[in-house]
Amino acid sequence: MPNRYHRFAAIAAVIGWLGLGLQLLLSIRLTMASGQGAWAGIWIYLGYFTVLTNLAVALALTATASGLRGGFGRFFAQPDVHAAIAMSIIVVAAIYHLLLRQLWQPHGWQIVGDDALHTVMPLLFVLYWWLAVPKANLRWRRVFAWQVYPAAYFVYALVRGAMNGWYPYPFVDVRALGYLRVFGNAIGVLLVFIAVGLLLVAIGRWQVRRMAASASITSTGG
């Protein structure tokens, strides 16, 4: 990545960590006010796909900005990983704004936390992906490998729910919908993930072709 994007990644990472920290504090405050304690707030916090995906976003941006090496740095340096995270954070924003936003009315700092994780960070990470991430090696078939993360989260959410009866999103609430409808919803959401992933590959490949054409014109003096 060109050095000029390291600062952008660093600023975006700071915003991401602040948003995550604020959301954690709000979660803990809510459970403590209801008498459940701080650990209940952490448990609920770590149950949301939004939080886990924003953690991945913040880690990827931090690895880029700091130039981390070793296994962690190499993992988050992979264009495929960035694209998979971009796919996931786009779906986070889309589902929240299209399906979930109207289900509740946040107030005060909750508005700030929600907007940071569902609007600001998706926009910043997609912009970072567009500007800074190499895309020459993006392949259509890799989109299906990217689905391991949302599929694993779905299993994780069901296991958590089976343990304590709490489900983070209404479309995975087995108590209200039953397993058949929940699995149907999961297939629908998975198709959305695949569609977004394919769109990102298409956009990335188009960007590569455009840059190659521009470089060819420049080299020939056209």
Side-chain angles (χ1 to χ4, degrees):
M1 177 199 294
N3 288 335
R4 66 180 179 275
Y5 296 125
H6 283 208
R7 181 172 296 180
F8 176 86
I11 293 171
V14 170
I15 296 172
W17 288 118
L18 288 174
L20 285 164
L22 174 60
Q23 198 67 42
L24 177 59
L25 290 174
L26 291 170
S27 181
I28 291 173
R29 186 175 72 175
L30 184 63
T31 55
M32 291 187 70
S34 64
Q36 299 178 68
W39 285 111
I42 297 171
W43 173 252
I44 290 173
Y45 175 80
L46 293 175
Y48 286 102
F49 187 79
T50 295
V51 169
L52 299 177
T53 304
N54 271 278
L55 280 169
V57 165
L59 287 170
L61 292 168
T62 300
T64 296
S66 61
L68 287 177
R69 303 192 179 189
F72 180 86
R74 285 194 300 271
F75 177 79
F76 282 106
Q78 298 177 70
D80 258 30
V81 172
H82 289 112
I85 295 172
M87 173 195 70
S88 296
I89 200 67
I90 288 171
V91 175
V92 163
I95 289 180
Y96 180 75
H97 287 288
L98 294 177
L99 300 179
L100 303 177
R101 185 69 182 258
Q102 63 270 26
L103 297 181
W104 77 312
Q105 298 297 323
H107 300 281
W109 284 105
Q110 191 66 65
I111 297 175
V112 178
D114 275 14
D115 286 344
L117 300 187
H118 295 104
T119 304
V120 176
M121 291 311 299
L123 289 173
L124 286 177
F125 193 77
V126 171
L127 180 59
Y128 155 80
W129 178 82
W130 171 257
L131 293 174
V133 177
K135 304 175 184 68
N137 293 324
L138 286 179
R139 297 291 182 268
W140 299 107
R141 65 180 181 274
R142 295 297 298 165
V143 171
F144 298 97
W146 301 348
Q147 308 314 313
V148 170
Y149 167 55
Y153 172 79
F154 175 66
V155 174
Y156 168 69
L158 291 189
V159 170
R160 286 173 54 104
M163 291 170 59
N164 65 1
W166 178 81
Y167 295 90
Y169 302 105
F171 47 84
V172 297
D173 190 341
V174 173
R175 296 175 307 170
L177 303 177
Y179 278 103
L180 186 61
R181 284 189 62 187
V182 166
F183 275 96
N185 292 340
I187 292 172
V189 173
L190 185 64
L191 292 175
V192 173
F193 275 97
I194 293 172
V196 173
L198 292 172
L199 179 61
L200 287 175
V201 173
I203 291 171
R205 291 165 73 93
W206 172 81
Q207 186 186 38
V208 169
R209 291 195 301 270
R210 191 189 69 166
M211 293 176 66
S214 298
S216 177
I217 293 172
T218 300
S219 64
T220 58

